[in-house]
């Protein structure tokens, strides 16, 4: 895939049309699905091109890499989502630079983010990451652990619990993709029946966002379908290793 401002704009339009089409077919309002451009390993020039094509939300996994991009794109007033693994020594910087954190799996992290979020800013938006499929590299909480954590986070002052997030293992069978996403939607409904007011389902990536939208995704996190395949550039490789 060619990478240039024009191609990026074409990719944005293509992905948007796919989002709009599946939302309509599923009887949903297309504006109820936010496209998060996952820009890990992409340059700030590429982000600028995607933003110019109309994307306002960006997702980053690696903090060092994200900070320089966020700093160089402040004129665009973008909304930044941290979607990577969280380490407690990074929470202060994350609370400073980001608007959303997807991938919360411990109270301790949410508490630090709340303590460190400036009272002059809007509360930081959080999503709890749920592991719906048993995995060796378990990321997220098992569904039965979620209600307790959700209640505790909802009581914190400087963060706002918005909903749930998942990253299921890659799966090409659309009906299997769908059944996992439906379970996240059911868990959200269950939490909302317990007095929480959650409005966010962060689910769906380049290979499975259509199934996620059918199941009720409000935020899809899309990288390669927008930017083309990722290549790890040497300066970023360090940061990747740091997190593994
Ligand atoms: C990389 C990443 C994405 C985007 O993946 P693509 O398959 O490139 O769309 C979405 N969510 C998370 C958590 C990621 O790490």
């Amino acid at each position: 895939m060619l990478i240039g401002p024009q191609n990026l704009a074409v990719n944005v339009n293509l992905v948007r049309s796919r989002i709009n089409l599946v939302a309509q077919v599923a009887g949903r309002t297309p504006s109820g699905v936010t496209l998060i451009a996952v820009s890990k390993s992409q340059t700030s020039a590429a982000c600028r091109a995607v933003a110019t094509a109309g994307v306002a939300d960006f997702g980053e996994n690696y903090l060092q890499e994200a900070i320089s991009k966020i700093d160089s794109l402040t004129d665009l007033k973008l909304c930044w989502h941290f979607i990577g693994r969280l380490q407690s020594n990074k929470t202060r910087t994350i609370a400073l630079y980001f608007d959303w954190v997807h991938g919360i799996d411990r109270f301790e992290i949410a508490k630090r983010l709340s303590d460190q979020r400036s009272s002059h800013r809007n509360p930081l938006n959080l999503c709890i990451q749920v592991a719906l499929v048993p995995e060796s590299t378990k990321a997220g909480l098992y569904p039965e652990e979620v209600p307790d954590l959700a209640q505790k986070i909802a009581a914190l002052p400087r963060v706002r619990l918005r909903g749930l997030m998942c990253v299921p293992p890659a799966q090409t069978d659309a009906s299997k993709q769908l059944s996992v996403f439906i379970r996240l939607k059911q868990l959200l409904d269950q939490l909302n029946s317990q007095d929480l007011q959650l409005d966010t389902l962060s689910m769906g990536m380049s290979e499975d966002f259509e199934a996620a939208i059918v199941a009720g995704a409000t935020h899809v996190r899309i990288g390669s379908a927008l930017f083309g395949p990722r290549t790890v550039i040497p300066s970023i490789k360090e940061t990747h290793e740091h997190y593994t």
Side-chain angles (χ1 to χ4, degrees), residues 38 40 61 83-84 165 167 204-207 221-225 230:
V38 175
K40 62 184 173 208
N61 295 54
I83 62 172
M165 175 261 198
V167 189
M205 318 196 335
S206 294
E207 299 303 323
R221 308 176 312 267
I222 299 183
S224 42
R230 273 184 292 280

Side-chain angles (χ1 to χ4, degrees), residues 216-237:
T218 61
H219 292 69
V220 290
R221 308 176 312 267
I222 299 183
S224 42
L226 287 173
F227 291 99
R230 273 184 292 280
T231 47
V232 177
I233 53 176
S235 68
I236 291 164
K237 197 159 164 275

Side-chain angles (χ1 to χ4, degrees), residues 81-138:
H81 300 251
F82 188 77
I83 62 172
R85 282 212 176 206
L86 279 149
Q87 295 171 318
S88 51
N89 63 345
K90 301 282 161 58
T91 51
R92 186 173 299 280
T93 315
I94 290 172
L96 184 63
Y97 275 90
F98 285 84
D99 304 292
W100 285 72
V101 180
H102 305 234
I104 298 290
D105 62 358
R106 279 181 286 158
F107 180 70
E108 183 213 342
I109 297 276
K111 170 87 169 62
R112 288 178 67 95
L113 290 168
S114 179
D115 290 345
Q116 293 166 344
R117 181 71 167 182
S118 158
S119 54
H120 303 293
R121 311 259 313 269
N122 290 335
L124 187 62
N125 297 297
L126 304 186
C127 291
I128 295 176
Q129 184 168 357
V130 186
L132 294 158
V133 179
E135 281 174 72
S136 51
T137 55
K138 181 197 171 220

